Amino acid sequence: RRGRALGKLRAGLSPREAEVLELRHARELGIVEIAHVIEAPTDEVELLLDTAQARARKILGSLAPDPLDDRAPIYVEAFALSPSWHDELDEAEPLGEDEDEEGLEPGTLIGGRYELVERVGVGAFGDVYLAHDVEVAGHRVALKLLRQPSLSESARRAALRELKLNAAVFHPSLVQFKDHGWFEQRLWFVMPWYEGETLEERMRRGPLSRAEARRIFEPLARALAALHAVGIRHQDIKPENVLLTRLPGYGLDEDGGGILPVLIDLGVAAEEQETLLGGTPLYFAPEVAQRFVAEGHVGPDVGPRADVFALALSLRNALEPGTREDVPAGAIRAFVERRAEARPPLPEARDLRYLRPTFERWLSLDPDERPSADELAEELGVLTAPEERRERRNKLLRWLLPTLALVAAAFVVVVWVLDRRAAREEAEARRARMAAADARADLIVADARRRALEEGHAELLDRYEQSRMSRRDLAGQLATAEGQLRILRGELATALDARASLRDRLAATRATLSDTESELSGVRTERDEAEGRADGLSDDLASARGQLERARRDLADARDRADTLEGELASARREARSQRTRADGLAGELAEVERARDRARRDLERVRGHVARLAAALDGAEGPETDDEPPPDEAAEPDEAAEPEAPATDEAAAGPSETTAL
């Protein structure tokens, strides 16, 4: 269902909408950055993003994420432009001659002892070469040469850091350094040359069996425990950093026997007191992911159990390579944020489901619930527990079946002996039963004679006792009988009284019964009325149900109208933004007009002042020839002196015609 929804989503959006959603959710760009990429205004980008998200939620239906979740996993999966990095690794080609330009030439002698044969690996900080030890014939080694030169003493100490951490512990499943030195101020160090493949390469061929996984991961857990014992965290445990080496003399088999797993690459390892963090996001423990998400804020402490999480996750992916998590291209931050809050998926295969509770604890979000590396090594026995139980059962059966055969033979012999003895005893018992039957017949005859004698004796005794009964005894018996008769008469009178009382109560009960029948008749009438009302309510209920169905249809129509209105709202938002832009332009033009009007007013005021001065000068020039006006030097009253200014203002306000006449 999720796959169909993703296909529908990719096909249902326009290229422009798909591009904006991809830049937002998979590439994690902001509004301003998207506007720069697609060369559009931010308002248009925001509107386009809102419209595309509304359409995507409508297409996804119940699978649609929270509108506030900018990094929803389904959006990241739908709009990632390229496949996950594991797919890229699968499609990667080996280094060719054209790509070897940055490496050293074959035959280069390092440290006066190690002759390079070829470059076999390229890492983030250095290259790995296959080299011959010229001092030991036939001895091949792996030589790692750092890319960056160490130009200062502090840089040299930092370059030697990996060597010092590795030298602090020894374990067969930890890579060991044999020699080191400096070449053109770059650190090199020598490791044993291991024949084999990485665990990642092995996983590409198919899943590991549980027995093979146990043989590989138990030594790795012991090696990790050795690192933790001296206070070192590896911090980059993943299948690419596990070498499955084939050592001579071990006798390989098809199930992985004879393989020694070796944990490599301590380049980002850290001591217990160090706050250095590193690793691969796909194998981040939740507490490591939380520290990266915190971005400078205080996050949870990261301890050795982060390595246990990464090793357990590598085991889970080795058992089911096809179901491991992937990081869509460009969405590493969204993946890290999900890892900080959610545990990786548990095993899904049928033969691995019994391991789900175990992996749930190994991959717990709480580091305190996870085992230590030593405990993990002990608990890995659960991988082969079903086979071990089956083997123990088979061993028990192999021991038990011969024992049961011997017991059965002995039982048969004992039964045969007992059967012979039982036959003899049965014959003796038969003879005894015959003798007992004869004796029983004689006993029955004797008993019959005894009973006959006893019955005759008893009859004689009865007759004797009856002959001895006197009249006195008969009188006593008669008196006793009369007393009993009086008692019976009293009891009979009492019974008659009781019968009369019962008759009275019966009459009262019959009256009560008559009243009850009347009440029952009323109740039946009320019941009939209630049934009529119930029928009316049933009709009302049917009508209400019809109204409910109509309301549901109206609601469905309203939802369709709401979707239509949502599209119209998006169009209205675009129109509003366009109107806002035009309004901003008109406001600018209006401001320019206001400024021009102010300049015109100022110019008009200057012209009016100039006209007033010219009019005053003209009046002064014509003054001596006029007889009606007083001389210029004559004093005037305050209100009379103020009057000539008004005509000057009026003349100035008369306009350009008077100015032109002057």
Side-chain angles (χ1 to χ4, degrees), residues 217-231:
F217 280 86
E218 272 189 353
L220 293 178
R222 300 292 184 193
L224 195 59
L227 274 177
H228 294 169
V230 296

Side-chain angles (χ1 to χ4, degrees), residues 409-431:
F411 179 75
V412 170
V413 172
V414 171
V415 168
W416 181 77
V417 172
L418 292 177
D419 188 60
R420 294 293 301 274
R421 183 181 299 175
R424 289 196 301 269
E425 292 178 353
E426 179 65 24
E428 294 176 357
R430 191 180 300 110
R431 290 192 295 269

Side-chain angles (χ1 to χ4, degrees), residues 615-631:
L618 182 60
D619 292 340
E622 294 179 354
E625 297 177 1
T626 304
D627 298 330
D628 298 333
E629 295 181 0

Side-chain angles (χ1 to χ4, degrees), residues 34 58 68 102 112 133 137 152 261 275 297 334 341 366 372 407 481 563:
I34 296 175
K58 186 175 180 181
L68 300 179
E102 297 182 0
D133 186 351
S152 63
T275 59
H297 300 287
E341 300 174 354
D366 185 1
S372 64
V407 171
D563 294 338

Side-chain angles (χ1 to χ4, degrees), residues 452-497:
L453 292 174
E454 288 179 353
E455 289 175 358
H457 181 65
E459 185 178 358
L460 292 173
L461 288 176
D462 290 339
R463 290 177 181 177
Y464 174 75
E465 289 296 332
Q466 289 177 3
S467 65
R468 293 180 60 186
M469 185 176 295
S470 63
R471 290 184 178 180
R472 185 181 299 174
D473 295 333
L474 291 175
Q477 291 178 2
L478 182 60
T480 302
E482 288 178 353
Q484 292 176 352
L485 181 59
R486 284 195 299 270
I487 293 172
L488 288 175
R489 285 176 179 172
E491 291 177 355
L492 179 59
T494 303
L496 291 174
D497 295 338

Side-chain angles (χ1 to χ4, degrees), residues 303-360:
R305 306 208 177 195
D307 287 343
V308 173
F309 180 95
L311 187 62
L313 183 55
S314 300
L315 171 60
R316 179 249 177 273
N317 291 341
L319 292 172
E320 283 190 312
T323 61
R324 61 180 170 178
E325 292 181 295
D326 284 328
V327 180
I332 294 179
R333 178 175 179 81
F335 178 85
V336 172
E337 289 178 350
R338 290 200 306 275
R339 175 57 56 81
E341 300 174 354
R343 180 180 50 241
L346 300 176
E348 301 174 1
R350 179 177 299 177
D351 62 329
L352 300 177
R353 288 177 186 170
Y354 80 96
L355 295 173
R356 292 173 68 91
T358 305
F359 273 102
E360 188 172 359

